[in-house]
Amino acid sequence: VLSDPYHHTNHTPTMSTASICVLALTAASAGAFSAGRPATALARASAIRRVHSSPSLQMNIFNQLMGGGYAEPCVMGDESIMSEKAHGTSDVPVQESLRWNCDRETADRICNFNRHYAEYAGYWDGATSFLKEEGPESGEITFYDSNTGKPLFVAPRGRSWEDFVRESKAHGWPSFRDEETIWDDVRVLPNGEAVSLAGTHLGHNLPDGKGNRYCINLVSVAGKPQQ
């Protein structure tokens, strides 16, 4: 999730207090989303470069660190959404049959008994049938909560199928933008965790130079629509 390209300046900037705060939060968010593996030296160096080279990224995360939340239209939530319920953080387990041949056991563990870990990078395009079943002819694809079947994301919207796939492959997980998020049922917690109002863990918001970017587990949004 630290692999996206940024414009790099040629000068050597001075590390400010704000930049240190942003770096710390960026590294923490990235580490939380990497299936428990600590950030590598390369990832940390990449994070440092981005702190210096993306003012919009700095402002977005610094505002969040200071309690201002993420940039609109991101809708913030609180910890009560993820309180203990009948089935982990949700009232129900994931659906019996998920779309794109997503593994149900993996989905249930990530959606309902997890706050930090993720399906492995590249799972969505390597271990599922997503790219075999979907393509430019699919138009806007609706992604449903794997627990409840409520719509959470619609993509690609405001960009091409090729752009959506390219960005998602670059980061290792399906990556959605603000206009592709259905805010009726999606919230972002102060630590960047993206969740559904039903208590489903979805992924994390990892803003970049273009704005909010929601790095989402495919197994969390592979549900079938409510009947």
Side-chain angles (χ1 to χ4, degrees):
V1 293
L2 291 175
S3 61
D4 50 319
Y6 281 81
H7 172 71
H8 303 305
T9 55
N10 294 322
H11 67 281
T12 302
T14 301
M15 179 74 86
S16 65
T17 301
S19 291
I20 293 173
C21 292
V22 173
L23 173 59
L25 188 59
T26 302
S29 296
F33 202 76
S34 61
R37 294 187 295 273
T40 63
L42 178 61
R44 288 193 293 270
S46 179
I48 290 173
R49 287 196 297 272
R50 285 202 299 279
V51 165
H52 297 316
S53 61
S54 178
S56 59
L57 173 63
Q58 293 183 42
M59 185 58 66
N60 198 335
I61 301 183
F62 186 66
N63 283 344
Q64 184 268 330
L65 186 67
M66 295 296 102
Y70 290 99
E72 293 183 351
C74 179
V75 179
M76 301 297 292
D78 59 50
E79 276 293 322
S80 64
I81 298 172
M82 301 299 284
S83 61
E84 186 175 353
K85 303 180 184 69
H87 190 77
T89 56
S90 304
D91 287 323
V92 296
V94 299
Q95 297 174 357
E96 287 293 333
S97 178
L98 298 175
R99 298 164 77 190
W100 307 304
N101 292 322
C102 287
D103 182 72
R104 185 175 186 270
E105 181 180 348
T106 300
D108 198 52
R109 183 173 65 252
I110 289 175
C111 290
N112 300 316
F113 299 94
N114 161 64
R115 300 294 304 279
H116 304 293
Y117 299 151
E119 65 196 24
Y120 62 80
Y123 172 88
W124 73 279
D125 69 315
T128 76
S129 60
F130 181 80
L131 290 182
K132 296 181 179 67
E133 294 185 38
E134 310 294 353
E137 67 283 352
S138 302
E140 292 187 346
I141 303 165
T142 302
F143 296 79
Y144 298 92
D145 190 318
S146 292
N147 285 322
T148 67
K150 291 184 177 181
L152 302 178
F153 299 94
V154 177
R157 175 171 286 177
R159 55 177 169 171
S160 68
W161 164 260
E162 289 75 16
D163 288 341
F164 169 69
V165 171
R166 185 182 304 111
E167 181 172 70
S168 298
K169 282 189 172 183
H171 297 291
W173 290 267
S175 293
F176 301 94
R177 295 292 176 171
D178 285 324
E179 63 186 305
E180 296 171 325
T181 306
I182 301 174
W183 294 109
D184 290 346
D185 277 287
V186 176
R187 295 291 184 270
V188 176
L189 305 190
N191 67 351
E193 182 183 7
V195 303
S196 76
L197 284 178
T200 306
H201 172 82
L202 304 176
H204 286 81
N205 180 20
L206 300 175
D208 61 13
K210 299 177 183 178
N212 293 313
R213 178 174 61 81
Y214 307 98
C215 234
I216 303 299
N217 295 288
L218 185 63
V219 297
S220 298
V221 293
K224 296 178 181 177
Q226 291 176 315
Q227 299 299 319

